Amino acid sequence: MEFLQPSDWQDALAAKAAFPDAVPVRGGTDVMVEMNFDRGRPAALLDLSHVKELGEWGRDDTDDTCVRIGAGVTYTRVLRELGTTVPGLAQAARTVGSPQIRNRGTIGGNLGAASPAGDCHPVLLAADAVYEVESAARGVRRIGADEFYLGPKRNSLDADELIRAIVVRATDTGQQFAKIGTRNAMVIAACSFAVAINREVRSVRTGIGSAGPTPLRAPEAETYLTDMMTQGELWEGGRLPDADVLKRFGDLVAGAARPIDDVRATAAYRRHSLRVMARRTATWALRQSC
Amino acid sequence: MRLECTVNDEARSLDGVWEGESLLYVLRERLGLPGSKNACEQGECGSCSVYVDGILACSCLVSAGQVHGARVITVEGLAEGDELHPIQRAFVEAGAVQCGFCTPGFVMVTHDLLAREASPTEPEIREALAGNLCRCTGYQKIVDAVQLAAKMLEEE
Ligand SMILES: Cc1cc2nc3c(=O)[nH]c(=O)nc-3n(C[C@H](O)[C@H](O)[C@H](O)COP(=O)(O)OP(=O)(O)OC[C@H]3O[C@@H](n4cnc5c(N)ncnc54)[C@H](O)[C@@H]3O)c2cc1C
Ligand code: FES
Ligand code: FES
């Protein structure tokens, strides 16, 4: 097995171009499990630990209402440093694994693994995030979260590309994430849900996790709540939508899911819990930004 | 590869290491440091917890290649000679050790927690220990041990 250890981003891109089969590794919390159990012995490992750029975050150069967060930023750092910048992502980070897993697991690793149960995805879909990927040959490409997920554990990265960063609007309000599992810690979601309500541009966006082959949105639910907010003149704040509006929003989210029965939950339970999580998180997000 | 790193403040150099093997394997099988336990090799039990460059991690999920040049502290690095670290004493005194298999991992997370937060609340303790499994104690004595350790460290 080749072990490639680039010292910066340009080296990393060159290595990935030279060895398209190399498996990138940063935190290792997905890759090492596979290796320990001999499920995958890659031809080459591309260790991104020393690529400093991946651990940085700051205002986005092209749009200063957004932050650009390096793919190698860990959950522990998201929690400590980004709680009032991308609150939904910080909430999701807080539910990942355990302190040890959060200390090493990264956003980029979650996107790379593209598990339908990954906790970053619903939040990033809801927050309308854009993923910045790059290759030595073709340079930077920005992919909307909507276009990124192709199937279970499949994303739209090309073989010579690496994930550089995520770009997302900075806000301290209107985002909520909820997750269902058997325990409070160390749990892969039975299902999860995120909502982002942006009163400035009057939008509602959603993300569903672990209830379909990929993370999903619930477009009908989004349109419905947006229309109800407009009709009820609720965007300016002060009042919440009626309880049956929020309930209907939950029903529409449950309807958008494409769950299956598996070891973690039945499809019916997934739909039920989505209905409840959607209603609650929307209520929290609206109340908080009221 | 030749792996060079410091383990418990001692420079180590090992030949013939496979980059893809886990740090846990390196510690136990190559360096004869069996304090870090192997109970799952998938990040679920915390019994292999060590510091890598000051950050607490499951050593089963860090590859040997990734620790080249790194500073690793294991549970063996906490005591001073034969003198137990106060956290280790607290675990003994609180009765938090039964079979003892999980203890090194719990001692390490306690060390990490108390370095950040000198007098944690019970929920904070439980949150910090959430990545470590114990099949003997039922956890209450371990929580007691963390509280006792906090007190002992404060008095020192
Ligand atoms: C005990 C345990 C509990 C867990 N709990 C959760 C949980 O609650 N929620 C959750 O969502 N996940 C959980 N996970 C899964 C994992 O921790 C996350 O998916 C994490 O985000 C992976 O990040 P990493 O840096 O460790 O990834 P790595 O293992 O280093 O990589 C993961 C994948 O991404 C690729 N990759 C990494 N970085 C890049 C990059 N910059 N460009 C391109 N590809 C890249 C790798 O090739 C690999 O395919 C858990 C894992 C364990 C072991
Ligand atoms: S052996 Fe590493 S977490 Fe269980
Ligand atoms: S004391 Fe036996 S596993 Fe914890």
Side-chain angles (χ1 to χ4, degrees), chain A residues 1 3 5 25-29 32-33 35-37 41 45 47-50 80 94 97-104 183 185-186, chain B residues 18-22 40-44 46 49 52 55-58 60-63 65-66 68 109 116 127-128 130-133:
Chain A
M1 188 188 76
F3 189 77
Q5 206 162 37
V25 55
R26 176 84 179 193
T29 60
M32 283 301 287
V33 174
M35 302 240 304
N36 287 346
F37 287 84
R41 285 256 155 127
L45 271 185
D47 178 22
L48 300 173
S49 310
H50 300 290
R80 287 191 191 146
R94 194 172 183 285
S98 64
Q100 293 95 316
I101 299 298
R102 294 195 288 271
N103 279 349
R104 286 190 62 86
R183 252 184 93 182
M186 201 60 104
Chain B
W18 180 55
E19 293 91 342
E21 70 193 41
S22 70
C40 75
E41 290 195 284
Q42 50 180 320
E44 298 273 349
S49 300
V52 177
I55 291 172
L56 194 74
C58 297
C60 67
L61 298 184
V62 181
S63 83
Q66 289 183 299
H68 187 69
V109 281
R116 278 182 285 118
E127 174 87 27
N132 290 63
L133 296 178

Side-chain angles (χ1 to χ4, degrees), chain A residues 57-70 78 82 84-90 107 111 120-132 142-143 145 165-173 175 196 198 205:
Chain A
W57 68 267
R59 287 278 154 184
D60 184 39
D61 285 341
T62 56
D63 179 352
D64 72 356
T65 66
C66 289
V67 279
R68 178 168 173 269
I69 307 169
V78 169
L82 290 162
T84 54
T85 309
V86 200
L89 190 62
I107 304 170
L111 302 187
C120 292
H121 317 312
V123 174
L124 295 176
L125 275 173
D128 203 5
V130 169
Y131 303 159
E132 183 182 316
R142 285 193 168 188
I143 311 173
I166 63 164
V167 179
V168 60
R169 192 180 75 100
T171 179
D172 61 0
T173 186
Q175 297 181 352
N198 182 341
R205 283 181 60 109

Side-chain angles (χ1 to χ4, degrees), chain A residues 98-181:
Chain A
S98 64
Q100 293 95 316
I101 299 298
R102 294 195 288 271
N103 279 349
R104 286 190 62 86
T106 64
I107 304 170
N110 213 233
L111 302 187
S115 156
D119 288 321
C120 292
H121 317 312
V123 174
L124 295 176
L125 275 173
D128 203 5
V130 169
Y131 303 159
E132 183 182 316
V133 306
E134 193 170 341
S135 62
R138 295 177 310 290
V140 172
R141 183 161 78 100
R142 285 193 168 188
I143 311 173
D146 290 299
E147 273 91 59
F148 185 72
Y149 305 101
L150 301 183
K153 307 198 175 175
R154 282 202 307 117
N155 60 35
S156 50
L157 268 192
D158 286 334
D160 62 346
E161 285 178 323
L162 292 171
I163 305 164
R164 172 66 183 85
I166 63 164
V167 179
V168 60
R169 192 180 75 100
T171 179
D172 61 0
T173 186
Q175 297 181 352
Q176 290 287 334
F177 171 81
K179 168 174 168 181
I180 294 277

Side-chain angles (χ1 to χ4, degrees), chain B residues 45 87 90-110 113-114 120 122 125-126 128-130 132-150:
Chain B
C45 76
I87 293 170
F91 269 70
V92 175
E93 281 174 32
V97 183
Q98 288 189 27
C99 80
F101 198 85
C102 68
T103 310
F106 276 101
V107 166
M108 293 302 289
V109 281
T110 304
L113 169 66
L114 297 181
E122 179 163 342
I125 294 172
R126 289 190 180 269
L129 303 186
N132 290 63
L133 296 178
C134 171
R135 46 170 222 146
C136 304
T137 63
Y139 300 102
Q140 186 54 51
K141 299 279 186 198
I142 295 177
V143 173
D144 296 347
V146 179
Q147 283 165 334
L148 179 61

Side-chain angles (χ1 to χ4, degrees), chain A:
Chain A
M1 188 188 76
E2 291 279 340
F3 189 77
L4 310 162
Q5 206 162 37
S7 55
D8 64 24
W9 180 242
Q10 293 311 323
D11 277 2
L13 292 176
K16 190 65 172 133
F19 295 87
D21 289 343
V23 174
V25 55
R26 176 84 179 193
T29 60
D30 280 312
V31 170
M32 283 301 287
V33 174
E34 299 288 311
M35 302 240 304
N36 287 346
F37 287 84
D38 259 336
R39 282 197 289 256
R41 285 256 155 127
L45 271 185
L46 175 58
D47 178 22
L48 300 173
S49 310
H50 300 290
V51 179
K52 238 187 41 238
E53 296 92 326
L54 291 176
E56 294 165 355
W57 68 267
R59 287 278 154 184
D60 184 39
D61 285 341
T62 56
D63 179 352
D64 72 356
T65 66
C66 289
V67 279
R68 178 168 173 269
I69 307 169
V73 172
T74 62
Y75 295 110
T76 298
R77 289 189 52 211
V78 169
L79 258 173
R80 287 191 191 146
E81 300 167 26
L82 290 162
T84 54
T85 309
V86 200
L89 190 62
Q91 286 178 2
R94 194 172 183 285
T95 75
V96 171
S98 64
Q100 293 95 316
I101 299 298
R102 294 195 288 271
N103 279 349
R104 286 190 62 86
T106 64
I107 304 170
N110 213 233
L111 302 187
S115 156
D119 288 321
C120 292
H121 317 312
V123 174
L124 295 176
L125 275 173
D128 203 5
V130 169
Y131 303 159
E132 183 182 316
V133 306
E134 193 170 341
S135 62
R138 295 177 310 290
V140 172
R141 183 161 78 100
R142 285 193 168 188
I143 311 173
D146 290 299
E147 273 91 59
F148 185 72
Y149 305 101
L150 301 183
K153 307 198 175 175
R154 282 202 307 117
N155 60 35
S156 50
L157 268 192
D158 286 334
D160 62 346
E161 285 178 323
L162 292 171
I163 305 164
R164 172 66 183 85
I166 63 164
V167 179
V168 60
R169 192 180 75 100
T171 179
D172 61 0
T173 186
Q175 297 181 352
Q176 290 287 334
F177 171 81
K179 168 174 168 181
I180 294 277
T182 45
R183 252 184 93 182
N184 251 340
M186 201 60 104
V187 111
I188 304 289
C191 69
S192 60
F193 180 74
V195 64
I197 296 171
N198 182 341
R199 288 184 188 268
E200 274 163 50
V201 302
R202 307 198 159 183
S203 76
V204 175
R205 283 181 60 109
T206 57
I208 296 172
S210 237
T214 64
L216 298 168
R217 281 173 64 198
E220 268 185 70
E222 294 174 2
T223 309
Y224 171 74
L225 187 54
T226 306
D227 289 349
M228 288 297 127
M229 293 287 289
T230 303
Q231 279 174 30
E233 295 176 15
L234 301 171
W235 288 113
E236 301 296 331
R239 282 176 306 122
L240 292 183
D242 290 341
D244 43 323
V245 169
L246 290 159
K247 191 167 165 296
R248 173 97 183 115
F249 174 73
D251 292 342
L252 289 170
V253 168
R258 288 153 56 202
I260 53 167
D261 292 337
D262 69 13
V263 286
R264 268 178 278 134
T266 60
Y269 181 72
R270 288 186 155 107
R271 269 195 217 282
H272 172 71
S273 49
L274 278 170
R275 187 172 291 125
V276 175
M277 285 192 292
R279 174 170 50 75
R280 286 187 189 163
T281 52
T283 309
W284 296 332
L286 285 165
R287 196 177 286 146
Q288 178 198 36
S289 61
C290 226

